[in-house]
Amino acid sequence: MTLYIDPPTWPGHGRMWSHLVSDVSYDELHLFAEQLGMPRRAFDSDHYDVPSHRYADAVAAGAVQVSSREVVRLLCSAGLRRRKGRQARRT
């Protein structure tokens, strides 16, 4: 199981956020997020939004640090990219 996370550079709700993704399946992503204690509501279309204070936890649990551009490339290559507004937000 390999999951990927970009740096916490995305602002929102008074904090910075990362994106946690899988290049295999949403099931793998949900399992990893559950093991981290991430709520299902943090799932946003094709990734989990991870607050900056949880970034180190995700990396310590095995998430590989990649750039934001690499996150998008991985999702697209795996056929897991979902653009907002085109498909259901939660799976």
Side-chain angles (χ1 to χ4, degrees):
M1 177 186 302
T2 303
L3 283 287
Y4 302 89
I5 191 165
D6 64 0
T9 57
W10 302 95
H13 308 286
R15 60 176 65 167
M16 301 302 279
W17 300 83
S18 293
H19 301 115
L20 178 68
V21 302
S22 168
D23 65 347
V24 174
S25 71
Y26 298 121
D27 290 337
E28 177 185 63
L29 178 59
H30 292 312
L31 177 62
F32 188 86
E34 183 179 312
Q35 291 170 348
L36 280 176
M38 300 289 302
R40 190 65 171 252
R41 70 180 177 274
F43 182 66
D44 187 12
S45 299
D46 55 12
H47 65 275
Y48 274 83
D49 290 322
V50 180
S52 59
H53 70 274
R54 298 295 315 274
Y55 180 82
D57 297 336
V59 172
V64 175
Q65 300 171 76
V66 296
S67 69
S68 297
R69 183 170 276 165
E70 184 68 2
V71 161
V72 173
R73 190 195 69 73
L74 288 162
L75 286 172
C76 290
S77 293
L80 297 174
R81 178 75 168 136
R82 290 183 179 164
R83 295 186 184 274
K84 288 189 178 194
R86 291 196 175 172
Q87 295 186 18
R89 287 178 47 91
R90 308 227 183 262
T91 299

